[in-house]
Amino acid sequence: MLKRWKIRILLFLAVLGPGFITANVDNDPNGIFTYSQAGAQYGYALLWTIIPITIALIVVQEMCARMGVVTGKGLSDLIREEFGLRVTVIVMFLLVLVNFGNVIGEFAGVASSLGLFHVSKYISVPIVSVLVWLLAVRGDYKNVEKIFLAASVFYIAYIIAGVLSQPSWHEAMVATVKLPPRSVWQDNNYLFLVMSVIGTTIAPWMQFYLQSSVVEKGVRVKDYAASRLDVIVGSIFTDVVAWFIIVACAATLWVHGLGSIQDASDAALAMKPLAGRYAFLLFAFGLFNASFFAASVLPLSTAYVVCEGLGVESGVDKRFKEAPFFYWLYTILIAGGAVVVLIPNFPLIKWAIESQALNGILLPLVIVLMLLLINRKDLMGTHTNSHWFNAIAWLTAIVVSILSVMLMVQQFRS
Amino acid sequence: MRDLQAITATLTTMLGTPVTDAQGRLRGRVKDLAVGTGADAGKIAGLVLKTRKGSELVPATGLRPTPSGTLELREEAEMQTLRGGEDYIFLRQDLLDRQIIDVHGRKVVRVNDVDLQWFKQNGLEDLRVREVEVGLRGAVRRLLQGALPAAALDAMTKKIPARVIPWEFVDMIEVDPARRVKLKIEHERLAQLHPSDIADILEDLAPAEREAILTTLDEEVAAEALEEVEPKLQKSMVESLASEVAAGIVEEMDPSAAADLLAELPESRSEAILEEMNPEERQEVEELLVFREDSAAGRMTTEYVAVPKTAEVADAVRALRDFDGDIETITEIYLVDEKGVLHGVVPLARLVLAKPETRLDVLTEARFISCPADAHEQQVAELFDKYNLRALPVLNEAGKLVGVVEADHVIAFLREGR
């Protein structure tokens, strides 16, 4: 009996791969900040977003994994081949901008999480950026994937912190399945947070990264069921973590009326007197893990995707001279992100909001391109989308578009 | 009129160009360019025009480039209506933005634009494909096409260094088997590359494209290339092929490489492939399959040259001539008695320097190094390192020669284990 369980657990772990990693990188410092903010400002009132977001995330990610397995090509490859150079360049340009904004967020996360342990950002950020650069250039994919999987497991830290914060379980559960009262919808700030939560959970880079990883892994159509499970498990796990972050902050910061926070490490700091030292440590450690993890994935995946789409030489197995564009882009993303964080008084929050808005423009575009691709019989054969998938994906694209327009209007007004 | 030699065009600038008749009436616009196949391979068959009647093909000689940049239809030009299914390669549809193999540069690249050239033949202007652009120049031109005036764009892109592949080095990949046969895409020039280069190219492609190339290549070339592909990918490539196609390729592989590959496949699949193989090759591979993969026997090949211990140099040379494996891999010749027991080893270099009538046993090394079939691969590597070996004979319990581990096998498994 014990042996059978062992086998089951091993089988389950063997399935974990690109889908699980992608979904977890998604809980980067920007995400953690957004979830913490949601919990700190509105308590349990944003928990209802988690279930619909999870469904949308699963649908969008599953489409990518399926396209990767069936066509054997990355998303940027497909966009280039089917929509031509102009569309590709526009998408790549936006992607680089959005991702650069995210990379800055990751390094800011490194700075503030290590700042909790009294490490100056002028020491931590340069060291981490060099480490990140080396990890991809010197390590090979197999090892890197193992490291990433291990890093994903550390997100459990947030679940434990959530439990330690002693939330009102009943209230949290009810809020997860019940829409909040109508009054909150008049609150612009609430709308903005809803938009942020969606934007940070379903990010455009994930689609490119996941599809390339699935292709890289060489998953075949008949093994696809395992990859789908990987995507589903990953998406659910990620959103469970997000749920616990919101709950932890609701049970501490919101309950004690501390209100809004300035950056992700504030949540950890505020938790210390309220939920104890362990909750603080777990929150701080989780933040560092998430920052480092995302900082390792994002610049590399951006460089890969852009080179693939433009048809430029890419790959860490090539030397600098063979793939100069790839290495320059990769290096500039990391160095640029690190330098921005080190500039004194840099308006990080303003940046974060602006990159969120760009995110809202790019995401619907990517989803629509994906929908056009995945419903083509000549590319996908019998693996085109079902009506339900199409409906959910279109709905996601439309909702994100509307929300991002609303967000931009708000920005202009204020 | 300008000197025709100087009139070059590109596919992107050509697309959408209005075509008028001699009276200046608009007849259609350029939609694509058709390139012939078979005997006319590589030559432009004509321009595809989008007209009121649908798609029509007009030979380039039926058109005249005018100074204003438009094209004028000659009176005598013949228009052929396209119905789809013709044996043409269409540059925009089949080549632009697609991956091609640069046979000269030995890599996979993506097409940004196609350079064309007008030339004069028998008093008529004709068009030919010069090269394919894969660099920044082609990309910039396509991005800004229509956004800038043609002359300004031309001046600007001229400043960007071009990265081009001459048309004769372009190898197209067609995934659809029926169309591949019709267009006669045979990858002849690709087949002449070194197997390792072909393997690198295969690794850069999507599964369907790999399969398209593997099944088009000659089985022997495909086998040599497949041997060089990394094991994980090798496995998935063979699994995607039909059993009889896979068997044809596996047959041509070195038996040890074939055995390693089949050992990685699921049993039902490797059996299906073995079933389709020639009895002779099948037996060789099956013998190797029994051994543990990490033992000397699992790493050895059964293709070696052995002669009776009484043989002379001339006999050895004859045996080498009759050898039907990969001759470059042979570095030494083995002397065996009637039971197959190993008695001596003669390096090729000594053979070359000796007279044809010299007896081989005079030329043997005083002591030769060998290893038992069940030796671990680590031991094998140590022997190679310690004695500076090129090849190592593998013996069974009775001292009978059963196979040879070569230096490249050792390098392969050492790198694999890293």
Side-chain angles (χ1 to χ4, degrees):
Chain A
M1 191 63 195
L2 187 71
K3 201 177 165 203
R4 193 190 286 168
W5 271 106
K6 236 185 192 167
I7 291 172
R8 273 196 194 160
I9 291 171
L10 279 178
L11 272 179
F12 178 71
L13 287 177
V15 162
L16 296 186
F20 194 72
I21 292 174
T22 312
N24 275 294
V25 181
D26 189 32
N27 273 340
D28 64 351
N30 304 323
I32 293 168
F33 171 66
T34 310
Y35 301 135
S36 305
Q37 188 75 291
Q41 289 192 9
Y42 294 97
Y44 304 111
L46 267 143
L47 282 177
W48 66 272
T49 55
I50 294 289
I51 289 176
I53 288 177
T54 310
I55 293 169
L57 183 65
I58 290 174
V59 166
V60 174
Q61 296 296 90
E62 194 276 340
M63 280 165 60
C64 291
R66 184 149 38 100
M67 273 201 279
V69 171
V70 175
T71 65
K73 289 178 180 172
L75 185 54
S76 52
D77 279 314
L78 284 179
I79 291 180
R80 173 70 194 272
E81 285 179 10
E82 307 305 330
F83 301 110
L85 188 64
R86 277 192 190 164
V87 175
T88 311
V89 168
I90 293 169
V91 172
M92 295 300 124
F93 179 72
L94 284 174
L95 188 73
V96 169
L97 275 185
V98 172
N99 285 3
F100 184 63
N102 285 332
V103 171
I104 294 173
E106 324 307 1
F107 281 113
V110 168
S112 65
S113 63
L114 288 177
L116 291 171
F117 299 107
H118 310 293
V119 181
S120 156
K121 68 175 179 181
Y122 296 101
I123 296 169
S124 61
V125 171
I127 291 178
V128 167
S129 55
V130 171
L131 274 181
V132 161
W133 193 87
L134 285 175
L135 182 68
V137 176
R138 296 271 171 257
D140 71 313
Y141 181 78
K142 230 177 173 178
N143 292 334
V144 172
E145 191 183 48
K146 276 183 202 143
I147 297 174
F148 285 173
L149 273 178
S152 306
V153 175
F154 286 120
Y155 279 100
I156 292 173
Y158 278 110
I159 299 182
I160 302 172
V163 174
L164 286 178
S165 69
Q166 294 171 323
S168 150
W169 294 111
H170 176 73
E171 209 180 320
M173 290 295 177
V174 170
T176 310
V177 291
K178 209 179 118 203
L179 278 177
R182 278 176 86 183
S183 59
V184 293
W185 294 99
Q186 260 103 59
D187 183 351
N188 273 342
N189 190 41
Y190 182 82
L191 273 184
F192 169 70
L193 264 178
V194 171
M195 164 70 195
S196 302
V197 168
I198 297 175
T200 193
T201 314
I202 310 174
W205 68 264
M206 301 171 68
Q207 283 87 63
F208 291 94
Y209 177 73
L210 176 64
Q211 195 166 332
S212 300
S213 311
V214 167
V215 171
E216 180 101 344
K217 227 184 162 194
V219 182
R220 279 156 312 151
V221 176
K222 69 181 173 77
D223 301 330
Y224 176 60
S227 283
R228 185 169 51 205
L229 189 63
D230 173 34
V231 166
I232 295 172
V233 169
S235 303
I236 293 176
F237 179 73
T238 301
D239 287 343
V240 167
V241 170
W243 190 88
F244 272 98
I245 296 174
I246 298 179
V247 165
C249 291
T252 50
L253 285 81
W254 179 70
V255 165
H256 291 84
L258 295 179
S260 107
I261 52 173
Q262 287 309 309
D263 83 55
S265 62
D266 283 0
L269 218 51
M271 212 160 274
K272 205 173 189 174
L274 304 174
R277 221 177 129 244
Y278 289 110
F280 160 75
L281 278 177
L282 285 169
F283 240 75
F285 171 73
L287 183 61
F288 173 72
N289 180 54
S291 313
F292 188 86
F293 188 19
S296 316
V297 172
L298 262 180
L300 191 65
S301 98
T302 312
Y304 262 113
V305 163
V306 171
C307 289
E308 263 174 27
L310 299 184
V312 193
E313 293 275 324
S314 63
V316 285
D317 53 342
K318 302 236 162 51
R319 272 168 299 168
F320 208 105
K321 260 201 175 141
E322 292 174 306
F325 184 80
F326 171 78
Y327 278 104
W328 274 116
L329 183 57
Y330 176 56
T331 310
I332 288 173
L333 281 171
I334 292 183
V339 166
V340 166
V341 172
L342 295 183
I343 296 173
N345 305 323
F346 189 84
L348 273 179
I349 291 186
K350 198 164 162 267
W351 250 92
I353 292 172
E354 270 154 21
S355 82
Q356 196 75 272
L358 269 179
N359 204 48
I361 298 168
L362 181 57
L363 182 63
L365 180 63
V366 172
I367 294 180
V368 169
L369 291 179
M370 282 170 56
L371 277 163
L372 293 177
L373 286 170
I374 205 162
N375 284 311
R376 277 183 46 180
K377 284 233 158 52
D378 56 332
L379 284 176
M380 298 297 292
T382 55
H383 301 275
T384 50
N385 253 3
S386 66
H387 293 306
W388 276 110
F389 266 62
N390 277 334
I392 296 174
W394 275 113
L395 191 68
T396 309
I398 292 166
V399 167
V400 173
S401 308
I402 294 172
L403 283 169
S404 58
V405 168
M406 283 167 65
L407 181 64
M408 272 185 282
V409 169
Q410 264 191 26
Q411 282 298 305
F412 275 116
R413 269 206 213 136
S414 61
Chain B
M1 178 145 194
R2 281 183 290 167
D3 176 18
L4 271 174
Q5 274 306 311
I7 302 190
T8 54
T10 69
L11 180 60
T12 13
T13 50
M14 188 86 86
L15 293 177
T17 305
V19 178
T20 58
D21 58 18
Q23 286 74 45
R25 277 186 303 237
L26 184 71
R27 293 287 297 268
R29 285 176 187 275
V30 179
K31 188 176 132 195
D32 208 332
L33 256 73
V35 170
T37 51
D40 294 323
K43 289 204 193 105
I44 290 187
L47 287 78
V48 182
L49 305 186
K50 191 175 180 211
T51 63
R52 250 170 275 141
K53 280 192 244 165
S55 290
E56 286 186 279
L57 184 75
V58 56
T61 47
L63 294 165
R64 197 172 62 84
T66 64
S68 63
T70 62
L71 293 169
E72 197 182 287
L73 204 60
R74 292 178 195 278
E75 300 264 327
E76 66 278 15
E78 281 174 37
M79 310 271 274
Q80 175 200 343
T81 310
L82 288 177
R83 296 202 163 73
E86 285 90 355
D87 301 352
Y88 295 124
I89 292 169
F90 295 102
L91 292 185
R92 188 183 66 85
Q93 180 199 317
D94 297 327
L95 211 63
L96 209 58
D97 290 323
R98 304 275 155 177
Q99 289 190 312
I100 54 155
I101 300 168
D102 168 6
V103 186
H104 185 67
R106 301 179 305 244
K107 56 179 182 246
V108 181
V109 289
R110 209 177 270 287
V111 179
N112 283 338
D113 206 350
V114 184
D115 286 344
L116 309 162
Q117 186 179 35
W118 288 100
F119 65 102
K120 209 153 192 165
Q121 198 176 25
N122 308 329
L124 291 174
E125 290 88 358
D126 202 351
L127 195 62
R128 69 168 157 234
V129 182
R130 282 176 63 206
E131 53 212 5
V132 162
E133 289 213 37
V134 295
L136 195 59
R137 183 197 276 196
V140 170
R141 189 185 309 118
R142 271 186 72 196
L143 279 180
L144 300 178
Q145 173 77 32
L148 284 181
L153 183 60
D154 218 35
M156 188 182 141
T157 49
K158 284 242 164 65
K159 285 192 192 122
I160 304 170
R163 266 190 63 209
V164 294
I165 297 165
W167 185 230
E168 63 266 30
F169 293 127
V170 171
D171 203 358
M172 243 185 80
I173 308 163
E174 176 55 58
V175 184
D176 177 9
R179 200 155 177 251
R180 188 162 65 230
V181 172
K182 217 165 74 176
L183 300 181
K184 301 193 176 57
I185 295 175
E186 280 157 350
H187 302 299
E188 285 154 7
R189 281 168 311 220
L190 179 69
Q192 282 154 20
L193 296 186
H194 191 280
S196 299
D197 287 328
I198 304 180
D200 281 348
I201 287 170
L202 287 174
E203 286 174 7
D204 277 346
L205 295 172
E209 299 167 339
R210 282 180 203 139
E211 201 190 312
I213 289 181
L214 263 189
T215 47
T216 319
L217 285 176
D218 177 59
E219 281 171 355
E220 205 180 319
V221 179
E224 283 184 3
L226 195 60
E227 278 179 34
E228 303 298 331
V229 170
E230 57 147 344
K232 210 181 96 190
L233 206 58
Q234 210 179 38
K235 182 183 156 198
S236 80
M237 278 161 77
V238 171
E239 277 194 84
S240 68
L241 296 174
S243 288
E244 61 267 28
V245 180
I249 295 174
V250 173
E251 259 173 28
E252 296 292 334
M253 287 172 80
D254 177 83
S256 72
D260 287 350
L261 170 59
L262 290 180
E264 289 289 314
L265 296 178
E267 202 155 321
S268 60
R269 189 81 176 108
S270 64
E271 257 159 33
I273 293 175
L274 281 167
E275 200 97 323
E276 298 279 343
M277 285 171 67
N278 271 341
E280 201 181 317
E281 272 101 5
R282 176 181 169 176
Q283 198 195 344
E284 266 184 293
V285 174
E286 275 178 339
E287 275 167 17
L288 286 170
L289 270 175
V290 235
F291 298 112
R292 274 179 64 94
E293 206 198 327
D294 61 357
S295 68
R299 294 296 182 183
M300 73 188 183
T301 173
T302 48
E303 289 190 336
Y304 54 85
V305 179
V307 293
K309 61 176 178 176
T310 52
E312 292 170 356
V313 169
D315 300 321
V317 172
R318 208 168 308 123
L320 279 170
R321 280 201 188 109
D322 295 342
F323 180 66
D324 62 356
D326 202 357
I327 193 75
E328 297 99 275
T329 61
I330 302 292
T331 53
E332 46 195 35
I333 290 192
Y334 304 100
L335 303 186
V336 293
D337 64 14
E338 52 287 350
K339 287 202 194 92
V341 174
L342 184 65
H343 280 270
V345 176
V346 183
L348 273 194
R350 283 207 194 161
L351 203 68
V352 174
L353 297 177
K355 291 204 179 74
E357 61 277 11
T358 316
R359 271 178 66 104
L360 285 173
D361 52 6
V362 190
L363 298 175
T364 55
E365 306 264 358
R367 279 182 299 274
F368 59 83
I369 313 296
S370 64
C371 83
D374 56 358
H376 191 266
E377 59 180 18
Q378 218 48 50
Q379 253 173 297
V380 172
E382 277 161 23
L383 285 175
F384 267 85
D385 186 23
K386 183 170 175 193
Y387 296 105
N388 302 323
L389 300 177
R390 307 282 175 286
L392 175 67
V394 180
L395 310 179
N396 68 6
E397 313 87 70
K400 198 180 149 214
L401 179 63
V402 290
V404 177
V405 181
E406 283 151 11
D408 59 322
H409 300 151
V410 179
I411 295 173
F413 71 65
L414 284 179
R415 285 209 57 193
E416 218 174 90
R418 257 188 338 162

